[in-house]
Amino acid sequence: MEQEMVLKNEKSMSASFKQVLLKLTPSVKKDGIIKSMKNAGITLLSILLFIGLWHMGSKALYNKEADYKVEKALQERGEEAAAAERACIESGDSSCQPNTLPSPTQVWASLKSLVADHQVIKADKAAFAEKLSATNEKLIAQGKDPIVYTGRASFIDIVLTSIKTVFAGFLLALLIAVPIGIIIGLSPSLRSAFNWFIQVFKPVSPVVWYLLVFMIVKTLYIGDSSDNAFVISFISVGLCAMWATLVNTAMGVSSVDKDYINVAKVLKLGTFQKVFKVILPSSLPLIFTGLRITLSVAWMVLIAIELLAQSQGLGLFVWEEFQNGANDSNSKIIVAMFVIGIIGFLLDRLMLTVQNMVSFNKNEMA
């Protein structure tokens, strides 16, 4: 009888708890929506503030350089030349516009221009492929290389080349750093022996890594007329960016809970079984932290390395626009800057997503 009373009380408490939960659920959802809308509003406000400050800053710099050009014309050629210079600037003629920080509208116009240029080049490539399709089929049938399009690359093609280079460098860094990190992490003696090597080469500049890789690749490919810029670029990126993964992997392996190691011994697991079933799963959070840092570093150093290697990527694009000095060059440089930043952010989010998928540590890292 007492048990029946207890069961009835538990059922009534459970029912009342469900009713309270149902009442609270709309409130929780409402609070979540309000919080999301508030965060979105703050983000939008900060973007508008940034664009406003950018516009005012570019306008001030524009006026400063315009006044300087007019004053210089006045001092060197007289009042008529100064008046003509000011009239030319006010007319919007590209030949006399101040070449300073572009405004948001100028950057937007350059972005649309680059996208339109990509469509033109894409159409040219399609026409080229269609025109030479029969010839290329014959060349391929004869075992020869087909004729490829060698015209200038569009901005989208340049971005894709940079992404391809950074992923190739990242893969190289992963293949080098993770195995070495595991081996070093398993042995305190090896950690002590290789510590000097890591500490000496970790802070080396990407420019120096590029020069070292260039020396080696140039010798290996001696007599080869093919373009080695991509090979030099991705190897330099990988060697420059792999150190965070190497250090974090060694640290993660060396800090595995000793209880896990003891369990592996009790189960009489072999070395490879112990590594892949115990050590690596336990080390994944630190390994992926290192991989995220490696990918971020790889994307940052890529720009300088592409410039030095003359690889058709964003680094060379930015440098050529700077050297070009055309009226819209500064705007295109700012477009490239935003593209670099956005892609870097997306790459970091991609690594975080993969980390949360494969790691037991689901706590999102900032």
Side-chain angles (χ1 to χ4, degrees):
M1 190 71 180
E2 290 180 0
Q3 289 181 349
E4 290 180 1
M5 292 288 293
V6 170
L7 288 172
K8 286 181 180 179
N9 288 335
E10 286 180 354
K11 286 181 180 179
S12 62
M13 288 174 66
S14 177
S16 61
F17 177 75
K18 286 180 180 179
Q19 289 177 357
V20 172
L21 187 62
L22 288 172
K23 290 179 181 179
L24 288 176
T25 300
S27 176
V28 171
K29 288 183 178 179
K30 185 178 178 182
D31 291 342
I33 293 170
I34 292 172
K35 186 177 180 180
S36 298
M37 291 178 65
K38 182 180 178 181
N39 291 338
I42 292 172
T43 301
L44 180 61
L45 185 63
S46 66
I47 291 172
L48 293 174
L49 179 62
F50 170 76
I51 293 174
L53 291 173
W54 175 12
H55 176 75
M56 290 189 292
S58 64
K59 189 68 176 176
L61 292 172
Y62 178 91
N63 292 335
K64 181 178 177 63
E65 188 165 342
D67 292 341
Y68 172 77
K69 289 169 72 73
V70 172
E71 184 64 26
K72 186 177 180 181
L74 177 64
Q75 293 176 359
E76 294 180 354
R77 291 173 288 162
E79 292 185 3
E80 290 186 6
E85 184 73 24
R86 184 170 291 281
C88 181
I89 292 172
E90 291 175 353
S91 69
D93 188 349
S94 60
S95 63
C96 56
Q97 291 300 301
N99 191 19
T100 182
L101 178 68
S103 67
T105 53
Q106 290 173 313
V107 172
W108 179 251
S110 290
L111 175 61
K112 292 193 292 185
S113 172
L114 289 169
V115 172
D117 184 60
H118 169 71
Q119 297 300 328
V120 172
I121 294 174
K122 184 179 178 181
D124 290 343
K125 287 181 180 179
F128 178 87
E130 185 179 354
K131 183 179 180 181
L132 294 176
S133 59
T135 304
N136 282 337
E137 286 177 4
K138 292 178 181 178
L139 290 173
I140 293 171
Q142 295 170 5
K144 298 179 181 179
D145 293 331
I147 302 171
V148 296
Y149 181 82
T150 56
R152 66 187 181 88
S154 70
F155 182 71
I156 306 298
D157 296 330
I158 287 169
V159 172
L160 293 176
T161 298
S162 289
I163 293 174
K164 182 175 73 172
T165 304
V166 81
F167 272 114
F170 174 74
L171 182 61
L172 177 66
L174 187 152
L175 293 175
I176 294 174
V178 172
I180 295 177
I182 292 171
I183 294 169
I184 293 174
L186 289 171
S187 172
S189 300
L190 285 176
R191 283 203 303 277
S192 300
F194 281 92
N195 184 56
W196 72 268
F197 182 84
I198 296 170
Q199 298 305 323
V200 168
F201 287 102
K202 185 172 65 173
V204 172
S205 165
V207 176
V208 180
W209 281 116
Y210 162 77
L211 295 175
L212 176 64
V213 173
F214 177 79
M215 296 174 202
I216 297 170
V217 172
K218 177 179 68 71
T219 305
L220 292 175
Y221 282 81
I222 194 166
D224 190 347
S225 59
S226 60
D227 185 12
N228 303 320
F230 173 74
V231 176
I232 294 171
S233 295
F234 89 79
I235 293 176
S236 302
V237 167
L239 293 178
C240 186
M242 71 177 189
W243 302 100
T245 298
L246 178 59
V247 171
N248 278 43
T249 302
M251 187 183 302
V253 170
S254 64
S255 60
V256 172
D257 195 327
K258 299 302 178 185
D259 291 338
Y260 298 159
I261 305 297
N262 293 333
V263 170
K265 289 179 180 178
V266 170
L267 295 173
K268 296 182 179 180
L269 297 179
T271 303
F272 286 100
Q273 286 181 314
K274 183 172 69 174
V275 168
F276 287 102
K277 291 187 176 181
V278 177
I279 293 174
L280 271 181
S282 301
S283 308
L284 277 179
L286 271 176
I287 292 174
F288 268 92
T289 299
L291 287 172
R292 285 180 66 191
I293 297 171
T294 288
L295 189 56
S296 297
V297 171
W299 185 245
M300 284 191 292
V301 303
L302 174 71
I303 306 305
I305 288 173
E306 282 183 334
L307 189 158
L308 293 168
Q310 296 293 292
S311 177
Q312 287 295 328
L314 284 165
L316 185 61
F317 172 83
V318 169
W319 180 249
E320 286 181 343
E321 288 298 332
F322 176 74
Q323 293 288 90
N324 184 24
N327 191 54
D328 61 345
S329 290
N330 288 356
S331 299
K332 290 180 179 178
I333 291 172
I334 301 298
V335 170
M337 183 190 76
F338 277 108
V339 169
I340 291 166
I342 291 169
I343 292 175
F345 170 76
L346 293 176
L347 290 175
D348 183 71
R349 294 296 97 180
L350 174 64
M351 282 302 302
L352 180 60
T353 302
V354 175
Q355 177 179 354
N356 288 334
M357 287 171 60
V358 303
S359 175
F360 60 83
N361 183 9
K362 302 296 182 183
N363 295 325
E364 184 170 326
M365 299 172 65

